[in-house]
Amino acid sequence: MEVFKRAILQPGPPESFALQTVQEVVKPQKQTKLAQDENQLLENILRTLLQELVSSAVQSGEQIMQYGQSIDDGETQGHIPRLLDIVLYLCEREHVEGGMIFQLLEDLTEMSTMRNCKDIFGYIESKQDILGKQELFARGKLVMLRTCNQLLRRLSKANDVVFCGRILMFLAHFFPLSERSAVNIKGVFNSSNETKYEKDPPDGISIDFNFYKTFWSLQEYFCNPASLTPAPAKWQKFTSGLMIVLNTFESQPLSDEEGDANNLEEEAANFSIKYLTSTKLMGLELKDSSFRRHILVQCLILFDYLRAPGKNEKDLPSESMKEEIKSCEERVKKLLEMTPPKGKDFLSKTEHILEREKNWVWWKRDGCPAFEKQPLEKKTVQDGAKKRRPRWRLGNKELSQLWKWADQNPDAMTDPQRVRTPSIMEYWKPLAEDMDASAGIEAEYHHKNNRVYCWKGLRFSARQDLDGFSRFTDHGIEGVVPLELLPPDVRSKYQAKPNDKSKRAKKEETKGAAPQVEDNQIATPASEVDGEGIRADLEASAAQMDIDATATGNISQGGTPTPDEHQKQSSDTDVVQEAGQLEADAEVETGMMDGETDAEVDLDAVG
């Protein structure tokens, strides 16, 4: 401690002796940087020395920051500022722990009176740029915030307005703009800021006491505007009281002489952020232009809050409230414009501030995103070397890579496993597993929702399983699945009904008689064919196959066809052509023509 006392008295800048003093006191393991236990030892020594210096200054009756300063030599610093400069230099050069200077400043403010704290805070403001450096700010921002908040609690918001403003301005510059500890994310109002006024009428004073109570009762709503939205009764009480105040202001306009007599700019020294609520001053306050502006601006702030964007539906005002807010706001703006001096200029500036405030409201409700944007890294290009775009053999990287794979594997395109058509039992197995309730597959993951899968499956069934394909009309895509793949409880749902079996048996009997098939095909009207849909077309296709076999047999047995056989053969040819035409129509209607590559079939009914 004695070593530091001698160091304080040494002339010259701290960098010439500060590190040497620390090495002499602590004798560190490293020459330029202290370890954790060494930092703690040095901090304890400095805090004890600071306490002794403050005690000596108090006993001598001098100001703390001027203690030890020579009267003859004005350039000589006091002992405490000199000690703080030495510690600040050591923290800035990272010889000691960065938060040590902030701890000493907090101890100094706690040991000092408010009169001395003004001088201490003046020192803090003078070192703001150094304290705000990133290596120091990260170490001591919470300590500095705690120190400033303790000072604000000790100060009077009515008598120490200027000092409170200095502290708030320092915090605004010291902390970044997006610091969440200072933006009031939840929008909580200071409801403890209560305005006290007289409840009972005084004796011997001629004043409208009802107007007095109504006027000052508005401060309860200005203090907490959020209480007006969910309570219509409070809103009605507020608007009725506000109408009385506005009517009084309109009935008692201020003259230009009264406005100039109460100019706020000329009497800034007497300004207070809270007005006195005595009944004796009510008449004088109503003639004060700054007093009227204070109340009217409060009204604009409240209206602006009620209409602020981004609120929940329950916090938004009703349509009737919006109309009342609009009419009240127009009256308030008119009164501000009429209030001297320079009413129009004052109103325009107030509107500009309220308009800018909306940007802050949105910023806070978006989670206070950072304003700083990181600069884009510019890649330096060497001189003479220009970056060229890569050239691909087939236009882009993907096609070139695909072609490269084909070169490496020439048999890939001719692999029989690639070009083979899967059997319907193999193809419909995934959909059959989806239909099994015991598998527990959710409906949104079923294969029936895949339009391309269903389209391919219908094509395969039309070629390999006409019986299963015919079930698509009645049961949709799940009916096309072969019954052998389904569990017993699901299979019964899609098995053919007895009526359907009898119809198919009758049709089986008519397969051998070609003339009957021809008559049936010719006699069937077009409307019936369209109504039967795919099933009728498939039956016609099956009949065509039997007619071809019958016609071929007749010709082969007789050798040269007879005239009757010629007639029959021509009839068979007509049947074949008509059946072929029906089959082509069926394929066109179901969207399963060969060569289609996109699933353009209307499968809205599928699944």
Side-chain angles (χ1 to χ4, degrees), residues 421-596:
T421 301
S423 64
I424 56 172
M425 300 292 289
E426 178 184 353
Y427 188 83
W428 291 116
K429 188 175 181 181
L431 182 57
E433 294 177 353
D434 297 341
M435 297 168 62
D436 188 1
S438 61
I441 302 175
E442 299 179 3
E444 58 180 323
Y445 301 111
H446 284 192
H447 285 73
K448 66 180 182 181
N449 300 325
N450 190 338
R451 299 171 63 88
V452 177
Y453 175 82
C454 297
W455 171 75
K456 288 183 178 180
L458 287 173
R459 294 193 62 175
F460 293 154
S461 296
R463 295 175 180 176
Q464 302 180 31
D465 184 16
L466 290 177
D467 184 38
F469 180 75
S470 64
R471 292 195 295 270
F472 175 76
T473 305
D474 298 330
H475 303 289
I477 193 64
E478 292 182 341
V480 185
V481 179
L483 300 177
E484 294 81 358
L485 297 175
L486 301 177
D489 54 341
V490 181
R491 187 184 309 166
S492 60
K493 178 180 177 182
Y494 300 101
Q495 285 180 342
K497 298 180 180 179
N499 295 336
D500 297 340
K501 290 182 179 180
S502 61
K503 291 180 181 179
R504 290 176 182 174
K506 292 180 182 180
K507 292 176 182 178
E508 293 273 344
E509 294 176 358
T510 60
K511 283 184 179 181
Q516 295 180 4
V517 173
E518 178 183 359
D519 295 338
N520 291 337
Q521 291 292 336
I522 297 174
T524 303
S527 60
E528 183 178 351
V529 173
D530 296 337
E532 287 292 328
I534 299 174
R535 182 181 298 177
D537 297 338
L538 293 174
E539 290 171 357
S541 177
Q544 173 222 345
M545 295 170 61
D546 294 339
I547 292 170
D548 291 344
T550 306
T552 304
N554 292 335
I555 295 175
S556 61
Q557 290 176 3
T560 302
T562 62
D564 295 335
E565 291 176 346
H566 275 292
Q567 182 178 1
K568 187 175 182 180
Q569 184 176 358
S570 62
S571 301
D572 295 341
T573 305
D574 295 337
V575 172
V576 171
Q577 293 176 354
E578 183 175 357
Q581 180 65 31
L582 291 174
E583 181 181 3
D585 293 340
E587 290 186 0
V588 171
E589 291 173 359
T590 56
M592 295 186 298
M593 296 295 294
D594 291 340
E596 292 179 333

Side-chain angles (χ1 to χ4, degrees), residues 381-415:
V381 181
Q382 296 180 357
D383 296 338
K386 294 183 179 180
K387 186 177 180 180
R388 295 182 179 180
R389 296 180 60 184
R391 294 183 179 182
W392 306 103
R393 182 179 178 185
L394 295 179
N396 58 49
K397 181 180 179 180
E398 288 74 17
L399 288 177
S400 299
Q401 185 66 31
L402 183 62
W403 187 263
K404 182 180 179 181
W405 289 341
D407 291 340
Q408 296 174 355
N409 187 9
D411 298 332
M413 303 297 291
T414 58
D415 187 5

Side-chain angles (χ1 to χ4, degrees), residues 72-89:
D72 299 332
D73 188 4
E75 297 181 357
T76 304
Q77 287 183 312
H79 293 339
I80 294 178
R82 184 67 168 172
L83 176 63
L84 295 176
D85 285 345
I86 294 172
V87 178
L88 182 60
Y89 167 77

Side-chain angles (χ1 to χ4, degrees), residues 33 46 96 111 125 135 142 157 167 234 259 262 266 309 364 367 382 432 455 489 540 562 565 597:
K33 193 170 184 180
L46 293 175
V96 299
M111 293 185 292
E125 289 176 321
E135 56 270 13
L142 297 180
K157 292 181 174 61
I167 296 174
K234 284 189 175 183
N262 298 285
E266 297 178 359
K364 288 169 63 175
Q382 296 180 357
W455 171 75
D489 54 341
T562 62
E565 291 176 346
T597 58

